[in-house]
Amino acid sequence: MSHHIVELKDLHYTYPDGNAALHGVSFRITHGETVAIVGANGAGKSTILLHLNGCLIPETGTVRIGDFPLTRKTLDHVRRTVGMVFQDPDDQLFMPSVYEDVAFGPLNLGLPPEDVAERVTQALTTVGALHLKDRPPYRLSGGEKRSVAIASVLSMSPSILVMDEPTSNLDPKSRRQLIQLLKTFAHTIILATHDLDMVLDLCARTIVLKKGRVEADGSTSDILQNAVLLESCRLEKPFALQACPICSPVPSGNNSILQSKQHAKHNHL
Amino acid sequence: MAKIASSFLDISYLDSLSRLQSPIHRLDPRVKVIATALYLISVVSFGKYEITGLIPFFVYPIVLIALGDLPLVYLLKKILIAAPFAFFIGMFNPLIDRAVVMHLGPIGISGGWISFVSIMLRFVLTVGAVLALIASTGFASICMSLEKMGVPNVFAVQLLFLYRYIFVLIDEASRMVRARSLRVFEKRGMGFSVFISMIGQLLLRALDRAQRIHRAMRCRGFDGEIRMTRPLAFCRRDGVFVLGWSALFVLMRLYDIPQWMGERITGLIG
């Protein structure tokens, strides 16, 4: 199944303003994997994502999507293969109604109207947003917008899904629903995120970036338990892996506020 | 801030009107656009001292509003907001054009006053008709029908995006204004220089967003053309609408109906 492979080899990128974002990133993601790309702000996550479907074309190094290296000539093919969900759904939902927005991609692929209608219904049903189809996107809630943004990409039936901060600005329930939804997908999924608890739930593999380089690449459970590595990359253990602040308080880190409160209470008594 | 936010709510209210169900709403948007365009041309093409000839033209917006179940008071308020523009265009006419052209009893009325009234009348008619069109059709459908009728795609898409992102822009601006007002004390920081840098900031943010939107569009295969799926079906009802109104507009433009009626009535009495 070579057409679902994403491979980066020694990728460098410097923004026009001179800001060097990537210094030789290499990794290979195979069919059906769910991979998280994590790292501090400015570590290069977004720059990598922009390379995955050709918003940026590699300067040095190569990006391969399936059988094709990413060049200007293969852009169409790559964009058909890779579906990108942006961080701000307002950037992605630009058509007057939800239905038209989800139909935008398939129509551009030149599909006949019946097929477009079927794909739109299918995609909206998958994300549970079929009832929103006639609403204008700007009047939806944050969670609804996110679902529709995902549907607008699913309707193009990509084999690889790339998402930038999919859980940002979602309430806990919507976040949970999104995670459950992503678990049902058979696509290759690449997520850039700070939500390490979601990574723990969803992704078998994690790639840690630090200052434009791959600092670690391996199984999520190993990486997210490696406190030294996380600390050096400005990350923290996900809450699920931290000790419960009430059962077993630790004298440092996140729990200090709770501790000092209890302490204060103790002193007063 | 309150003002920006409330005008924002107002636009979305206008937008929600377009989702009502009525005989007017069900018409093909193209016939409404054509009829309204003809209407505008007829109204605007009258001579500058025309008043009586304009009166029958009230029938079009009134019918749209009545059959379309549109809220009259709301639309009147919207017209009033734009009224100062027309007022300032016409206000010098009475001062410049002082020649008396008609007598109402002992009072001589100058040409300037008549043309001023004519301007205000035309303003109410045209703005009223266009508002009724938007409220009964929806901005997106209007853009789409323009495109279907051969208006270059670029213009239709520009209009569409303008409308789509007005909401986002207003949101962004009102957040900015709120952020400033929270840190302004005793009017310090309300100055013009701050305002200018805020406008600049807003422009930069808009450019940034435009780039992100363009990227999102390219990712989904955008090639310069927006394809829409809304089926437009032209049926007999639409034909009747557009032909009926066009005929009436031409008639009302060519013949001064109130004058004709007046003459008939005085003829009968005499």
Side-chain angles (χ1 to χ4, degrees):
Chain A
M1 293 293 261
S2 64
H3 57 285
H4 292 178
I5 285 177
V6 176
E7 190 176 35
L8 270 62
K9 265 193 194 150
D10 195 32
L11 183 66
H12 292 255
Y13 188 78
T14 305
Y15 279 101
D17 63 0
N19 172 22
L22 300 179
H23 307 274
V25 171
S26 306
F27 57 73
R28 181 185 162 90
I29 295 171
T30 52
H31 174 64
E33 274 193 286
T34 304
V35 181
I37 299 179
V38 302
N41 298 125
K45 298 188 297 292
S46 303
T47 315
I48 287 185
L49 292 197
L50 291 177
H51 276 92
L52 293 183
N53 65 349
C55 289
L56 295 176
I57 304 286
E59 292 174 337
T60 328
T62 55
V63 175
R64 279 184 91 84
I65 308 289
D67 300 322
F68 297 90
L70 174 61
T71 61
R72 291 194 189 281
K73 281 186 188 153
T74 56
L75 263 187
D76 268 8
H77 168 79
V78 166
R79 287 186 171 151
R80 217 169 280 196
T81 315
V82 180
M84 172 107 174
V85 180
F86 283 66
Q87 183 175 0
D88 183 350
D90 262 324
D91 294 340
Q92 193 154 4
L93 306 176
F94 41 77
M95 296 293 277
S97 76
V98 166
Y99 184 94
E100 280 160 324
D101 209 284
V102 180
F104 181 82
L107 284 171
N108 286 335
L109 292 178
L111 297 175
E114 314 84 66
D115 287 15
V116 172
E118 193 187 313
R119 281 199 185 196
V120 173
T121 314
Q122 175 90 47
L124 283 173
T125 313
T126 306
V127 301
L130 192 60
H131 60 290
L132 303 172
K133 69 182 169 58
D134 296 320
R135 299 263 299 277
Y138 52 83
R139 292 170 74 92
L140 303 178
S141 75
E144 290 169 337
K145 275 186 191 170
R146 183 81 54 170
S147 304
V148 174
I150 292 173
S152 71
V153 167
L154 286 183
S155 65
M156 299 178 68
S157 5
S159 24
I160 300 161
L161 271 180
V162 177
M163 301 182 149
D164 195 358
E165 289 287 359
T167 53
S168 64
N169 296 328
L170 293 187
D171 61 48
K173 183 82 186 170
S174 313
R175 171 179 171 276
R176 184 55 59 193
Q177 283 168 343
L178 177 73
I179 292 175
Q180 293 307 338
L181 175 69
L182 293 182
K183 276 186 181 171
T184 64
F185 288 174
H187 305 78
T188 302
I189 300 178
I190 304 172
L191 305 168
T193 186
H194 292 301
D195 184 349
L196 297 184
D197 281 278
M198 172 184 66
V199 172
L200 198 59
D201 254 14
L202 203 60
C203 308
R205 177 175 164 199
T206 299
I207 296 171
V208 184
L209 292 182
K210 185 180 176 185
K211 294 182 181 154
R213 292 192 174 82
V214 174
E215 184 74 8
D217 179 355
S219 100
T220 298
S221 55
D222 289 349
I223 285 178
L224 293 186
Q225 290 192 62
N226 185 343
V228 180
L229 168 73
L230 293 176
E231 173 75 26
S232 78
C233 299
R234 303 182 61 87
L235 298 168
E236 267 184 356
K237 271 189 184 182
F239 293 121
L241 292 181
Q242 290 181 11
C244 165
I246 296 164
C247 312
S248 52
V250 266
S252 69
N254 257 2
N255 311 315
S256 56
I257 297 175
L258 217 130
Q259 286 256 309
S260 61
K261 267 190 191 159
Q262 281 177 348
H263 210 73
K265 220 189 242 170
H266 183 78
N267 283 346
H268 279 283
L269 281 172
Chain B
M1 204 278 300
K3 222 171 172 181
I4 300 178
S6 67
S7 65
F8 163 65
L9 286 176
D10 252 354
I11 302 178
S12 45
Y13 179 60
L14 190 64
D15 201 57
S16 69
L17 289 177
S18 69
R19 282 187 292 282
L20 294 174
Q21 288 294 330
S22 83
I24 297 290
H25 286 78
R26 278 191 287 274
L27 289 168
D28 188 317
R30 283 173 296 185
V31 299
K32 286 186 270 187
V33 170
I34 294 173
T36 309
L38 262 174
Y39 174 83
L40 296 181
I41 292 168
S42 324
V43 168
V44 173
S45 65
F46 273 110
K48 73 175 201 174
Y49 295 125
E50 191 62 49
I51 289 180
T52 53
L54 287 169
I55 302 294
F57 279 89
F58 273 104
V59 68
Y60 180 63
I62 287 174
V63 167
L64 284 191
I65 289 168
L67 289 183
D69 269 337
L70 302 173
L72 179 66
V73 177
Y74 168 79
L75 293 179
L76 285 179
K77 273 188 198 157
K78 294 273 109 176
I79 295 177
L80 214 61
I81 290 176
F85 294 102
F87 182 80
F88 284 110
I89 289 170
M91 69 182 287
F92 289 108
N93 287 10
L95 303 176
I96 296 166
D97 186 356
R98 285 164 177 275
V100 174
V101 290
M102 67 181 272
H103 290 275
L104 251 179
I107 307 163
I109 295 180
S110 71
W113 278 109
I114 293 180
S115 62
F116 174 71
V117 170
S118 178
I119 284 174
M120 293 311 283
L121 262 180
R122 280 169 223 235
F123 159 75
V124 172
L125 288 172
T126 50
V127 174
V130 170
L131 276 176
L133 170 73
I134 294 175
S136 67
T137 314
F139 207 80
S141 299
I142 294 178
C143 295
M144 219 185 56
S145 66
L146 285 175
E147 201 242 316
K148 283 253 159 79
M149 290 188 298
V151 170
N153 194 283
V154 178
F155 291 118
V157 170
Q158 280 292 327
L159 269 179
L160 201 68
F161 275 61
L162 178 78
Y163 191 66
R164 165 66 180 87
Y165 283 99
I166 269 183
F167 297 93
V168 178
L169 188 73
I170 290 174
D171 243 16
E172 196 129 354
S174 62
R175 276 201 301 273
M176 224 185 241
V177 170
R178 188 182 306 140
R180 176 181 66 163
S181 68
L182 289 175
R183 285 186 289 156
V184 161
F185 300 101
E186 293 163 11
K187 302 240 167 196
R188 262 178 307 209
M190 290 295 274
F192 201 60
S193 61
V194 180
F195 177 73
I196 288 173
S197 74
M198 281 170 77
I199 293 283
Q201 188 65 237
L202 200 59
L203 174 72
L204 290 178
R205 286 190 196 183
L207 287 175
D208 255 12
R209 186 179 289 279
Q211 199 180 10
R212 292 201 303 272
I213 295 165
H214 183 242
R215 231 176 235 161
M217 294 174 71
R218 294 294 300 268
C219 288
R220 290 199 273 151
F222 178 66
D223 54 6
E225 193 189 335
I226 297 251
R227 298 168 181 84
M228 300 257 212
T229 48
R230 288 186 203 189
L232 290 183
F234 189 89
C235 56
R236 216 175 62 196
R237 201 177 46 194
D238 300 314
V240 171
F241 180 88
V242 72
L243 288 179
W245 281 114
S246 316
L248 187 65
F249 296 151
V250 171
L251 197 73
M252 293 194 299
R253 175 66 188 86
L254 296 181
Y255 299 98
D256 191 337
I257 295 172
Q259 196 177 354
W260 175 78
M261 279 168 63
E263 279 163 10
R264 289 300 294 258
I265 292 169
T266 45
L268 281 178
I269 295 169

